[in-house]
Amino acid sequence: MNKILSNTKGDRWIWLIVILLSVLSMLAVYSSTGTLAYKRGVGVESILMKHMAMIFGGIALMYISHKLDYRYYAGISKLLMIVTIPLLLYTLAFGATINNASRWINIPGTGLSFQTSDMAKLALITYLARLLSRKQEHIKSVKESFVPIMGSVCVVFALIAWANMSTALMLFGVSILLLIIGRISVKQIGIVCIGGALIVSAVMFLGPRRHLYMTRIHTFMHPELADPAKKYQGDHAKIAIASGGILGKGPGNSTERNYLPEAFSDEIYAIIVEEYGLIGGIALIGIYLFLLYRCMKIVTKAPKAFGALLAAGLSFSLTIQAFANMAVAVGLGPVTGVPLPLVSMGGTSILFTSVAFGIILSVSRHIDENEELKKSGEEGGETKGNNKVIVGDLTLA
């Protein structure tokens, strides 16, 4: 154990945040899965043990991915994109339907399902970071930079949006932020936004889930006119939050967990506020904000564009997803299927979120190692500036 701890590098605060969120996740999932356990005919402890296995598996993946030099993710991103697009197409055609959405692929012989949009998020962000960092010399060129960048964003966005609009919109927003940081011109970003708007319009009016999207928007905009059954989940989430008060009802004392259909996943923030009160809800918001702050420190210290863009894109994705989930719980947005990162019960969501944390920590580890080398060089009176590593067409210090 001591050897493993000594080998955990990178920002210590991010490691602490992961541990805090994991502990909170186990407490919240154990408290909110009573109804699910009853429906499945199993004990709550059985569901908790599976969830804990996913959490520990995620931490193991985070440890492995943080030990890999972040610069290798540039090459991995190409492979991920090659695999992701066919998987998204396969999901649309043959994916398993869960909760009226075809977002999953069943893994034969395991009883497990795989949500391809989780891989797509990681693939697109790492691939965009690679493209933007490698094309800085020709960043204003339409042929050299804009076409491949816009093509990758719009293709992945369209394939995800057809079955999962909320995830697609968040990923599109993260992509636009990366384009801004990557010095893409305002005109070109505007063209990407127009392309995204056209895709959204096509999916909203022609897609297989158009009726569901329209119903959710109408329910959010005009709750007084909506069918009570359609706003059932949102109403009970608000009841949970309102009944929590300042200090909450205490761990395990939620009553709305028996009414909320996705208390352990989409609406887990409402259960947390009900049990831990306004203080607990604000504390959780503070944890995600502090995570963003620590990640931005990594971005500003990253010596190369790829590391900075990689850390920025992944941290934006995690925090935007967290605040989208919490906004839905408090009634600031229409109901979606977005989980709370590292807190909601899930399978592939936890695993890919953990990998994203690991990649951010890999960038942080590289920064720390560079600073140690610089410090040792200054103390020894040596110059380390001429030591370089060539990766592809990039010269990396």
Side-chain angles (χ1 to χ4, degrees), residues 14-220:
I14 294 181
W15 281 105
L16 179 60
I17 288 170
V18 170
I19 293 172
L20 286 174
L21 292 177
S22 298
V23 171
L24 178 61
S25 176
M26 288 185 281
L27 291 172
V29 167
Y30 181 69
S31 175
S32 59
T33 51
T35 302
L36 178 65
Y38 176 77
K39 290 179 179 179
R40 292 183 179 180
V42 298
V44 177
E45 293 78 11
S46 174
I47 295 177
L48 177 63
M49 292 303 295
K50 290 182 180 179
H51 180 63
M52 289 176 64
M54 281 295 176
I55 288 178
F56 288 121
I59 292 175
L61 284 175
M62 183 170 65
Y63 177 80
I64 294 170
S65 56
H66 109 284
K67 294 294 289 183
L68 182 64
D69 192 313
Y70 80 90
R71 290 170 289 189
Y72 288 107
Y73 289 106
I76 293 172
S77 67
K78 293 175 64 178
L79 178 62
L80 281 176
M81 285 295 288
I82 292 172
V83 173
T84 294
I85 292 177
L87 277 178
L88 288 172
L89 289 169
Y90 179 85
T91 304
L92 290 177
F94 307 105
T97 300
I98 302 176
N99 294 333
N100 297 319
S102 180
R103 307 175 187 173
W104 290 264
I105 295 176
N106 287 326
I107 303 175
T110 64
L112 300 176
S113 57
F114 170 73
Q115 190 166 349
T116 50
S117 60
D118 291 325
M119 175 187 281
K121 287 189 291 184
L122 186 64
L124 181 60
I125 290 170
T126 53
Y127 188 67
L128 268 183
R130 176 183 182 275
L131 284 180
L132 289 168
S133 62
R134 295 199 171 192
K135 295 184 179 295
Q136 283 298 304
E137 294 182 0
H138 309 284
I139 201 64
K140 304 299 181 183
S141 170
V142 174
K143 182 179 179 180
E144 293 289 330
S145 301
F146 179 66
V147 172
I149 289 171
M150 181 177 179
S152 59
V153 172
C154 289
V155 167
V156 174
F157 174 59
L159 292 175
I160 297 177
W162 201 254
N164 191 347
M165 179 63 77
S166 54
T167 298
L169 287 174
M170 285 187 293
L171 183 58
F172 188 77
V174 172
S175 300
I176 294 299
L177 289 174
L178 278 180
L179 296 185
I180 294 172
I181 297 172
R183 301 191 307 116
I184 296 292
S185 69
V186 175
K187 180 180 178 180
Q188 291 176 345
I189 292 175
I191 295 173
V192 175
C193 290
I194 292 172
L198 292 174
I199 293 172
V200 170
S201 299
V203 173
M204 289 286 288
F205 294 104
L206 302 175
R209 306 187 74 206
R210 57 188 181 276
H211 178 69
L212 177 62
Y213 295 144
M214 292 300 182
T215 301
R216 286 181 173 178
I217 293 173
H218 180 267
T219 300
F220 174 69

Side-chain angles (χ1 to χ4, degrees), residues 111-367:
L112 300 176
S113 57
F114 170 73
Q115 190 166 349
T116 50
S117 60
D118 291 325
M119 175 187 281
K121 287 189 291 184
L122 186 64
L124 181 60
I125 290 170
T126 53
Y127 188 67
L128 268 183
R130 176 183 182 275
L131 284 180
L132 289 168
S133 62
R134 295 199 171 192
K135 295 184 179 295
Q136 283 298 304
E137 294 182 0
H138 309 284
I139 201 64
K140 304 299 181 183
S141 170
V142 174
K143 182 179 179 180
E144 293 289 330
S145 301
F146 179 66
V147 172
I149 289 171
M150 181 177 179
S152 59
V153 172
C154 289
V155 167
V156 174
F157 174 59
L159 292 175
I160 297 177
W162 201 254
N164 191 347
M165 179 63 77
S166 54
T167 298
L169 287 174
M170 285 187 293
L171 183 58
F172 188 77
V174 172
S175 300
I176 294 299
L177 289 174
L178 278 180
L179 296 185
I180 294 172
I181 297 172
R183 301 191 307 116
I184 296 292
S185 69
V186 175
K187 180 180 178 180
Q188 291 176 345
I189 292 175
I191 295 173
V192 175
C193 290
I194 292 172
L198 292 174
I199 293 172
V200 170
S201 299
V203 173
M204 289 286 288
F205 294 104
L206 302 175
R209 306 187 74 206
R210 57 188 181 276
H211 178 69
L212 177 62
Y213 295 144
M214 292 300 182
T215 301
R216 286 181 173 178
I217 293 173
H218 180 267
T219 300
F220 174 69
M221 298 297 294
H222 305 285
E224 71 283 357
L225 302 176
D227 182 349
K230 301 297 183 183
K231 58 179 183 175
Y232 176 87
Q233 183 170 324
D235 286 347
H236 279 280
K238 293 173 186 175
I239 292 171
I241 292 171
S243 61
I246 302 296
L247 300 176
K249 298 177 179 179
N253 292 326
S254 168
T255 54
E256 289 303 313
R257 63 186 176 185
N258 299 317
Y259 301 97
L260 280 168
E262 298 292 333
F264 49 85
S265 180
D266 301 350
E267 302 293 348
I268 200 166
Y269 182 69
I271 301 300
I272 291 172
V273 176
E274 183 183 9
E275 294 188 346
Y276 299 93
L278 181 63
I279 293 176
I282 292 175
L284 185 56
I285 292 173
I287 289 174
Y288 283 111
L289 286 175
F290 187 61
L291 169 65
L292 182 62
Y293 167 73
R294 296 306 304 180
C295 290
M296 289 303 101
K297 290 198 71 173
I298 294 172
V299 171
T300 57
K301 290 182 179 180
K304 293 294 179 180
F306 177 65
L309 290 166
L310 195 58
L314 293 173
S315 60
F316 285 148
S317 176
L318 292 170
T319 50
I320 289 174
Q321 180 177 328
F323 283 100
N325 175 279
M326 293 185 283
V328 169
V330 299
L332 294 179
V335 174
T336 62
V338 177
L340 192 58
L342 275 191
V343 177
S344 294
M345 189 178 81
T348 54
S349 174
I350 291 176
L351 298 180
F352 281 106
T353 297
S354 299
V355 171
F357 272 109
I359 295 173
I360 294 171
L361 286 168
S362 177
V363 178
S364 176
R365 180 175 68 85
H366 183 79
I367 294 170

